[in-house]
Structures are given as structure tokens and as C-alpha cells.
Amino acid sequence: MANPKIYSHLFFKNIVEGVKIYKQPQRYIPPIEESEKDYNPMQTTFKSCLNKFTKKQNERYHKRDIKLNIPIHIDYIEITFFEYFTPDLENKYLLYYGLSPVKYELYNEKVLFAISDTQKFEVFKKEILNFTNTENPNIKTELFKNIIKYIKEFEFLTSEKILTINEKKELTYLNLVDNPDIFQSHIKPIEDNLILFLKQKNISYKYDKFSNSLEVVNTDIETIKFIADNFDIIHKVNSFKAGIIKPSTYNLPGRSIGYEIKIKKEIPIIGIIDTGISPVSSLKQLIINKDNQFDLTGTSALEDNTDHGTSVANLAVLGSAFYLSEEKIFHADAKVLSIKVLDNKHGNISYFEIVRLIKKAYEEHNVKIFVLTICNEKHKKDNEAISEYAYLIDRLTYELDILIFISTGNINDLTEFNNNRSTIVKYPSHFINETANICVPSESMNNITIGAIADNFENNKLNGITPAKELPAIYTRKFNLNYDADMLTSTQKNNKLFKPDVVHYGGDCDDNLYVDKEPALTVLSSKSNLSFVKNIGTSYSAPLVANIAAKILYKYPKLNMQTIKALIINSAQRPWGSFVKPDVFKSLSDNTLRHLIGNGLPDTFKCLNSTDNEVTLILEDEIQPETIKAYSLKIPDYLNKIITKRSILEVSATLSFKFLPVKNSHLTYCPIHITFGFFRNLPLDSINGSKLAETKFCTSWAEDYYFKGKLLSNTQKISFSITPNSLINENNQIKIAINSKFHKLLNSIQLSEYKNKTNKFSMIINIKEKPINNILSGRLYNELSAINTVEVIGTIEQEIELENSI
């Protein structure tokens, strides 16, 4: 086959065929057969919980220092339910028992309540006691309400549960309670007293209104415990200690040679949130820092003492070309802004300040792409909710047109103890363990998370410890939501929600776990004489993908960043080139593999170019929640003449949108559902509310949201094939439908915040003609353009030519 002709991508501009109120099709749900339950175990549990609650409550009262003269106090109860807690129950627990929810965890099955009405709470305790003393709780009675039967267990919130640290930290975060029901009466008076206390003790602090947290500096653990014991508006105390994988010191003989980087006009700027960038000769002209405003360490943003940020910046600037080109002259795809947040391999960092500097970089330098490779040293627990740090950068990305490329973090300890001796972990079974989970803030949903495969760009047969170069590297991390856990029902799982989003090369260690040997990745060092070193990590995968984003933004400067995210994800394929699970992963679930590689390895060429036989259509639009809209996609009729029963077109489509996250709610963190599907050539009224089997073309909705306890994803991808007969049956027209809903567990206050907002979305549709008898027509791009309303996306080259002609 001849080399393809290269074209620009196309904006899909076909008119919207109406907007309707979305009607979900009815489903048959088998009735649950009620049987008499044995409540004896629950009665025993409740009696124990109540006794412990009273004891812990009295202990807290005795710890309080009356000399502080705090005008009011709040107690908290943490209740774990058998199922997720609904807005209907929320209203009842407030009305009957004086309990105001302040935080939802474990898929909203665990709820922290403020006891906002102590008299009503006495009713709760009395009904719990009545339940434990009732001979037959199955019989309806006025002694207690049936809603307490949803409770699995409960406990008092103690300072021990609030504190997640046990020693002095450079930075400590006090996460404050936020509930409008008790803000004026309870929270505000205590908050005022807490601020006064911090000032009297000369404790330096910062307050962030979005995360509703206080960051206190260099405060001893005794003072932190005192604060937790007395100021009843703190629901968690934690610290964020960041770290990077140990840098290597293995210099490469013969590679310490100079190379030249040429700069194209108008290239994007990438913010490198790392350990600084040393102005080595190859990078010096690309660093835009003019002063030290982007340094949080008190050193210099142009000083990389850890030998990490410099190599990350080099890969962001040059991408894969750094390895694949034989030339000594490179063309930079981006300039870089050094945002230095760490000066050592480990240390406490301020995510308040990181957010501030990201915003500053965007406002002052129009930086839209950021690389963040410094993650929390601790992994996330299984099924742990979104962190405060991830929440802050998700909110920032919602507000600004930016995209942050976040590494999953690395598993730094790849040993285990067997028979009292240390051995290397067995690949891939070690990925099952919770210790292999991603690190904060890589669970961020509005941004893009990158893991690593073991390849290092070197075409040699020497393998590292990972069984094959195209497999997830032994040190990469997986998503922390455990879809194999018994607590999640089939109606709550969402196979469109996972991290990482994509993977890229990160190198591999050898069979002795050395990270600086031949299987590792060659990276630029911050040391003198332009030396190179060998190293591994997701820290290098992330800038390689960010480089792709810079290439896209340079070629198509009018695209928004969620569109760029969707382009990258839509281009990705499994690194081993097949949907078949590799033999080495046969013992692990499909979820585990998906939670390691995400959508796969991005294809740079596909991100940037359409061809005569493969067309990428881009739809940027918005939709109101609770509505549905549709567009007709016309397919050229020359394809009908191909005599074959096989598929003639391959379609992949990805939708991405950013959202304003709901804080402190695991299930409703993403409060908006937006999805898409490809349907038969029918009017919108026929598609809306109809059964999928009657209307779908080749696939159903990308994300099926019917049951209200489901986690929602803001990125969805599907693929399918088209045969000539299926085209002929629909007169060569396919309907693309988009629908949107609110999450069904939003309460009335949350709904009021989101109700009148339309939500922008980006959709990528890639249509590829398949060869028949090894022949391609070369007609798809032009004919698809001719019969649809499309617009060639202006490229930077086109804009320069236009400026020169004026």
C-alpha cells in the first residue's frame, strides 16, 4: 500500500437535531423476596457500639481545656451503613436524630455526621437501645424506626481517628468540617477561636477556602493533638510527604556529547513541577524563568540538586525524538517553566502553594500543560476516596483551560520476605497488593494520569526484570478502586472509571533491581558536561505524554485541553498490539490489567494527523443536564459497493469533560453524567427513552448510568466495526446521541449549585477504512468531508501563512 496522504483533523459541525428532556428506558428489576431476618448479631453489635460511643465521648470531654473558653462544641458520629446513604435518608436522619452529614467515604457507605441537635440525638441513642432490647425486631414497633436497620456499625469520632500523623511535620493540614446547617451556629464560632489560638501561639498558617483546610507550619505533635482535642471542627489531620525514585549515578561513556536544540516560533510552554531545572547548555535557551517566583524551596528554580527535574524537562521538550532520532540537532516542541517544589529526594510540600503557582503560570505565561511527577510517598488505600490535593487540582483544571500530566508514582520497594529472607516480588502477583496502588494526587479525574511500561526505546534483546518490554513495568502502580471487592455490587462498578489513563515508556530495572543498568531509560543529567544517566520511573513516562500534548497544541492551537486529553486517549492502544490478555496476566483479573495500563500507549502520529484513509472528527460542544441531543454522521456511499461480509470501517470514539467536583463525597465526586452512543438512523424522539436493542447501531451507551449508586467517569472510550450491509440498512447515516444527567445521589443543596450550568464536552471520532485484498481506496477523507459539515482545523502553519499574506 502507498504511503498515506496526510491531512489536518476536522471539526465536526453537523447541526444538532433537537434537544429533548432525556428519558431513561424502564428496566425490569426483579423484586427482592423479603424473609424474616436474624437481628441477634446486629443487636449485639449495636450494644457494643453504644457502650464504646459513650465511653469515648466521655474521654473526649475530659480532654478538653476549659481555659480556652470555646463557646460551643460539636460531637461527631461515624456510621457505616449496609448500602450507600441516600438523600432521602439524609433528610430523615437530620429530622429525626439531629445528624448532619459532613463527609462520605467507602462509596458513601460510611458517613461522618455532626451531632447538630443534641436533644434529637438522645432519641437516636434511645432507639438504638430499644432495638437491642427488643425480643423480635422483625415486628413493626414504635420503639424505633426502621431506618436504623440500615446501620452496620457506628463509633464516636475521637482525636485518634482524626490524627493520621504521630510526629512533628514541616507542614500539617487541618481539614475542617463544612456544613451549612451548622455553620453560623457551631462552625464559625469554633473557627474564630482556632484562628485566635494559632495567632496567640505564633503558629504560621494558611487557609484555603476551596479545600476548607488550614496548613500549619513546623508545629510540634503535642500542639496538633491539643488542637484536635479541643477545636471540634477538624475531621482529619494529615501531612503530605512527597518523594521521587532514587536517582541513578550511572554515567554513560561515549554519550556525554553535546546536541543542539532549535526553537520553532510560538511553541507551547510546559510547567515542570519538580526539583528544579538546571540550565545545562541544551536546555538553557528553553527555560523561561526570569526570577525566582516559581520556587518553593528557598533555593533556586534553576538549580536541580536532585538530578530529576532536568531530565523530566528534557523529555517534555523533546519527547520520543530524543531516543529515536540519530541526529544531533533536535527541534523543541515546547519551552519549559521550572516550578520547583522539592530540593531533595523526599520532603513535605505545600499543595496550596503548588495550586497557586499553577494558576500564576497560567495567568502570567499562558501555560496550559503541566507535568507533575512528585507524588505522595504513601500509596492510596483500597477504595479510598479522592484526596484533598486531587480535589484542589481537579477544581483548578475545571476553572482554567489547563491539563496536568501526573505520574502514578513508583513502587520503590520491590522486595518481600519469604522464610525470613528478602526476595524480589513475583511479577505480576505483587500488583494485587494494596501497596501497589497509585499515590496522591494521581487519582485526579479532570487531569491525565500516566503509568509506565518497561520499554526503554533501545532496540536490543536484553530484557529487564519485567517479563516483556511492552508489559506494565514492575514498579508502575495501579488504580486504588478495587472492583473485585465484595462490597461493590455489579450496579456500582464502572469499567469506564480507572487510572492511569495511558502509559508510556519508563525503562526497567535488571534482575538485581538495579535501576541504572542497560534495561533502564537514558535520561539527561543535571550534572556538568551534558552527561547522561540511566534511570527508571513513571516520572519519565509522564513528560513523554505531555510532549505529545505540546505537539497537538502547537499544531492545533484552537483546541481546548480536554479535547487534547481525548485525542491522546483515543489514539492509545494496548502496547502488545492485541486485546488478548498476555499469558503472564492470565491469573489476574481483567480489572487489574486495565488498572495498570489504562487505555494503553498513545500514538503520536494519530494524535496529530488524519490521512486519506483515516479521519479524525472533533466535536466540541456543551449540554445541559437531564437532556439529550443528537447529530447525524453521514458515511460515503462508495463503501456500499465493496462486496464483503467483513467490516470495512473501524471506529473509535472518546468523550472527555471536566466537572466541578463535590468535596467529601466519594460516590458523587463526579456529579455530572455525560455519555454518548451510536444509534440507527432514527429521529431523536425514537432514540430517547427507547430500548437499546431497538435503536443502537453497533454499540450501546458508552457509560450506562441507571442505578443511582454508580461511580461516574468523565472519560469514556468505545470501539466498533461497520459492515457494508449495516450502512445500507441505515441509508449511510448514523446518529450520534449525547445525554447528560445529574448524579442521582446529589442532595438538594448540591443540585442547586449545579442545576443551571451547562457542561462542555469534547468528543473524538476516528474512522478508519480497512483494506480489502490489501487495497485502500484513498477516498475516505475527501468524501467524508464533502457530505458532512466540517471545518479543517486551523494549524499554526496555516495561521502564520495567513498573517504573512495580510
Side-chain angles (χ1 to χ4, degrees):
M1 289 181 285
N3 291 330
K5 294 180 180 178
I6 297 175
Y7 297 92
S8 295
H9 296 328
L10 300 169
F11 273 130
F12 182 65
K13 296 285 188 177
N14 285 6
I15 62 169
V16 177
E17 297 182 3
V19 178
K20 304 285 185 179
I21 299 298
Y22 177 51
K23 304 173 185 176
Q24 284 190 303
Q26 294 297 314
R27 299 187 183 185
Y28 172 73
I29 303 174
I32 300 174
E33 294 184 9
E34 293 288 340
S35 59
E36 191 166 286
K37 296 179 181 178
D38 179 12
Y39 283 104
N40 287 329
M42 186 184 287
Q43 288 176 307
T44 302
T45 298
F46 280 9
K47 188 175 294 185
S48 174
C49 287
L50 189 57
N51 289 336
K52 290 178 181 177
F53 181 93
T54 303
K55 180 183 176 183
K56 295 294 184 183
Q57 188 179 42
N58 289 332
E59 288 175 357
R60 183 168 180 84
Y61 289 171
H62 285 104
K63 286 181 180 179
R64 287 173 177 158
D65 189 339
I66 59 173
K67 296 177 183 178
L68 290 172
N69 292 319
I70 299 173
I72 197 164
H73 287 284
I74 315 171
D75 289 339
Y76 298 88
I77 182 173
E78 191 172 68
I79 302 179
T80 302
F81 297 89
F82 286 104
E83 292 184 351
Y84 51 82
F85 194 68
T86 65
D88 179 56
L89 283 175
E90 180 180 318
N91 294 331
K92 290 178 180 177
Y93 270 68
L94 179 60
L95 177 64
Y96 299 143
Y97 304 135
L99 296 177
S100 300
V102 297
K103 187 176 184 181
Y104 297 81
E105 296 181 288
L106 281 181
Y107 309 107
N108 291 32
E109 291 182 13
K110 181 182 284 188
V111 185
L112 180 65
F113 294 92
I115 301 172
S116 55
D117 189 319
T118 54
Q119 290 184 334
K120 287 183 177 180
F121 185 67
E122 290 300 318
V123 175
F124 174 80
K125 291 198 292 184
K126 182 179 179 181
E127 291 192 9
I128 290 290
L129 194 59
N130 289 341
F131 176 83
T132 63
N133 294 326
T134 299
E135 289 188 11
N136 187 358
N138 283 295
I139 298 175
K140 190 173 182 180
T141 175
E142 294 183 359
L143 294 174
F144 56 85
K145 299 174 187 64
N146 266 344
I147 57 174
I148 68 169
K149 293 181 181 179
Y150 290 105
I151 297 173
K152 190 175 185 179
E153 59 186 0
F154 60 89
E155 60 182 318
F156 184 80
L157 182 67
T158 63
S159 293
E160 289 73 23
K161 285 187 67 66
I162 292 170
L163 293 163
T164 64
I165 58 174
N166 54 16
E167 61 184 4
K168 180 179 178 180
K169 301 290 184 181
E170 184 180 339
L171 295 174
T172 303
Y173 293 94
L174 311 178
N175 302 120
L176 307 183
V177 169
D178 185 13
N179 185 290
D181 295 333
I182 57 172
F183 180 77
Q184 290 296 337
S185 59
H186 292 72
I187 295 175
K188 186 66 166 60
I190 300 174
E191 185 179 296
D192 290 343
N193 276 262
L194 174 57
I195 298 299
L196 178 63
F197 174 83
L198 294 175
K199 289 179 178 178
Q200 289 174 342
K201 296 294 182 180
N202 292 318
I203 297 173
S204 178
Y205 70 92
K206 293 176 184 175
Y207 172 70
D208 180 78
K209 66 178 181 178
F210 293 125
S211 64
N212 197 34
S213 299
L214 285 168
E215 178 188 85
V216 295
V217 182
N218 284 325
T219 307
D220 60 81
I221 190 63
E222 289 74 21
T223 302
I224 295 297
K225 287 180 179 178
F226 182 83
I227 291 171
D229 285 339
N230 288 278
F231 297 93
D232 301 324
I233 56 170
I234 301 164
H235 65 81
K236 187 165 74 171
V237 175
N238 60 10
S239 180
F240 183 85
K241 188 175 182 182
I244 60 173
I245 197 166
K246 179 184 176 183
S248 67
T249 56
Y250 178 59
N251 289 290
L252 296 181
R255 290 297 303 274
S256 298
I257 54 176
Y259 54 85
E260 181 184 352
I261 298 180
K262 291 189 174 182
I263 305 176
K264 298 175 286 188
K265 290 184 178 180
E266 306 299 328
I267 54 176
I269 301 168
I270 300 179
I272 307 296
I273 307 167
D274 215 286
T275 61
I277 305 173
S278 291
V280 293
S281 59
S282 59
L283 286 177
K284 188 174 183 180
Q285 60 181 332
L286 295 165
I287 304 171
I288 70 165
N289 298 67
K290 300 299 182 186
D291 47 41
N292 214 33
Q293 294 184 46
F294 290 89
D295 168 56
L296 299 179
T297 67
T299 56
S300 169
L302 302 183
E303 191 175 284
D304 181 11
N305 297 313
T306 312
D307 201 10
H308 190 264
T310 304
S311 52
V312 170
N314 188 62
L315 294 181
V317 165
L318 300 179
S320 301
F322 178 63
Y323 301 99
L324 301 178
S325 175
E326 298 295 329
E327 301 294 329
K328 294 183 182 179
I329 298 176
F330 296 100
H331 293 275
D333 297 307
K335 295 181 180 180
V336 286
L337 174 70
S338 177
I339 303 174
K340 187 173 182 178
V341 299
L342 199 64
D343 192 47
N344 298 297
K345 300 171 190 175
H346 312 277
N348 292 95
I349 64 175
S350 170
Y351 50 75
F352 289 0
E353 286 297 290
I354 291 175
V355 168
R356 179 182 69 82
L357 291 183
I358 291 173
K359 189 172 184 179
K360 180 181 177 70
Y362 175 80
E363 292 174 344
E364 295 184 4
H365 299 285
N366 196 32
V367 180
K368 295 185 175 183
I369 303 170
F370 295 86
V371 177
L372 176 57
T373 66
I374 297 176
C375 298
N376 196 348
E377 285 189 333
K378 291 183 179 180
H379 61 271
K380 288 183 68 69
K381 295 179 181 179
D382 278 351
N383 303 309
E384 182 183 346
I386 303 281
S387 65
E388 291 84 0
Y389 188 5
Y391 166 82
L392 279 177
I393 60 176
D394 273 341
R395 180 162 186 138
L396 188 66
T397 299
Y398 172 77
E399 294 170 350
L400 310 176
D401 186 26
I402 64 172
L403 194 59
I404 307 172
F405 291 76
I406 312 169
S407 62
T408 60
N410 306 306
I411 306 172
N412 288 335
D413 185 3
L414 293 169
T415 60
E416 58 188 2
F417 281 93
N418 292 312
N419 300 321
N420 294 322
R421 59 188 293 265
S422 178
T423 59
I424 297 173
V425 296
K426 187 176 180 181
Y427 186 99
S429 58
H430 72 294
F431 287 128
I432 298 174
N433 301 328
E434 185 179 76
T435 52
N437 288 349
I438 59 176
C439 299
V440 172
S442 57
E443 75 272 35
S444 166
M445 290 180 65
N446 281 341
N447 295 293
I448 187 164
T449 306
I450 297 94
I453 58 174
D455 208 329
N456 67 348
F457 291 99
E458 296 178 19
N459 188 21
N460 57 44
K461 295 181 180 179
L462 180 64
N463 288 324
I465 196 168
T466 305
K469 288 186 174 185
E470 67 272 12
L471 293 179
I474 193 170
Y475 55 81
T476 196
R477 290 184 173 275
K478 74 175 193 302
F479 196 30
N480 72 296
L481 294 193
N482 184 0
Y483 288 165
D484 299 320
D486 292 336
M487 66 175 297
L488 275 178
T489 66
S490 60
T491 60
Q492 289 182 283
K493 297 174 185 177
N494 186 347
N495 62 11
K496 301 297 181 183
L497 177 60
F498 51 82
K499 290 287 177 175
D501 295 282
V502 294
V503 291
H504 214 296
Y505 296 4
D508 199 12
C509 45
D510 69 7
D511 54 10
N512 290 313
L513 292 184
Y514 290 119
V515 303
D516 57 358
K517 301 303 179 184
E518 193 165 350
L521 203 65
T522 301
V523 295
L524 178 68
S525 173
S526 63
K527 297 174 183 178
S528 60
N529 300 321
L530 281 177
S531 60
F532 296 85
V533 295
K534 283 279 193 174
N535 210 337
I536 63 171
T538 58
S539 292
Y540 306 121
S541 310
L544 287 169
V545 182
N547 174 266
I548 299 174
K551 286 183 167 77
I552 299 170
L553 187 58
Y554 174 74
K555 184 171 184 177
Y556 304 113
K558 292 182 179 179
L559 295 182
N560 69 55
M561 297 309 295
Q562 287 299 309
T563 300
I564 291 176
K565 177 181 177 180
L567 274 168
I568 291 171
I569 290 173
N570 198 64
S571 77
Q573 299 292 333
R574 296 203 164 188
W576 49 87
S578 168
F579 282 101
V580 178
K581 187 194 298 184
D583 288 340
V584 70
F585 272 90
K586 286 293 172 65
S587 62
L588 301 186
S589 70
D590 291 340
N591 284 328
T592 302
L593 184 56
R594 185 187 301 114
H595 292 180
L596 281 165
I597 65 160
N599 294 283
L601 181 69
D603 183 327
T604 304
F605 180 86
K606 198 169 183 175
C607 286
L608 294 170
N609 306 297
S610 291
T611 70
D612 46 359
N613 295 302
E614 184 171 0
V615 185
T616 293
L617 303 173
I618 296 175
L619 172 62
E620 292 183 345
D621 202 353
E622 58 185 28
I623 189 169
Q624 185 85 22
E626 309 299 331
T627 65
I628 183 173
K629 57 170 56 175
Y631 315 79
S632 280
L633 172 61
K634 299 175 183 178
I635 306 296
D637 59 9
Y638 77 86
L639 295 162
N640 302 357
K641 300 171 186 177
I642 299 175
I643 311 285
T644 182
K645 293 182 179 179
R646 294 166 48 199
S647 58
I648 53 172
L649 293 176
E650 290 179 351
V651 179
S652 64
T654 297
L655 181 141
S656 180
F657 65 95
K658 57 184 180 179
F659 60 90
L660 178 62
V662 175
K663 190 174 183 292
N664 288 329
S665 180
H666 196 173
L667 272 181
T668 63
Y669 181 80
C670 177
I672 303 296
H673 160 81
I674 304 176
T675 194
F676 68 96
F678 288 81
F679 293 86
R680 293 174 53 208
N681 185 22
L682 297 168
L684 179 58
D685 284 334
S686 299
I687 297 172
N688 191 19
S690 300
K691 294 180 179 179
L692 281 172
E694 300 170 356
T695 59
K696 70 178 184 179
F697 183 68
C698 292
T699 182
S700 58
W701 292 108
E703 180 179 69
D704 184 13
Y705 178 45
Y706 183 81
F707 297 98
K708 59 187 176 183
K710 192 169 188 173
L711 292 158
L712 298 180
S713 172
N714 63 327
T715 304
Q716 304 142 33
K717 179 181 178 181
I718 61 173
S719 301
F720 60 91
S721 298
I722 300 176
T723 63
N725 282 343
S726 62
L727 285 178
I728 294 169
N729 291 340
E730 302 304 323
N731 294 319
N732 289 75
Q733 285 198 83
I734 307 169
K735 290 293 172 67
I736 302 169
I738 313 284
N739 80 63
S740 178
K741 289 189 70 66
F742 292 114
H743 198 292
K744 297 172 185 176
L745 290 183
L746 293 179
N747 60 35
S748 57
I749 295 174
Q750 293 164 339
L751 274 174
S752 65
E753 184 174 1
Y754 293 92
K755 195 165 188 178
N756 296 318
K757 294 180 179 177
T758 58
N759 294 280
K760 296 179 180 179
F761 65 87
S762 299
M763 185 174 176
I764 308 300
I765 308 160
N766 178 270
I767 306 171
K768 181 179 180 180
E769 184 177 328
K770 297 176 69 173
I772 302 297
N773 298 324
N774 207 34
I775 297 173
L776 288 167
S777 69
R779 299 168 61 182
L780 184 63
Y781 186 94
N782 289 328
E783 297 215 16
L784 196 69
S785 302
I787 59 176
N788 291 281
T789 305
V790 297
E791 176 187 321
V792 178
I793 303 177
T795 65
I796 189 69
E797 291 89 351
Q798 290 171 335
E799 292 185 357
I800 291 172
E801 288 176 5
L802 183 61
E803 288 174 3
N804 292 337
S805 66
I806 295 175

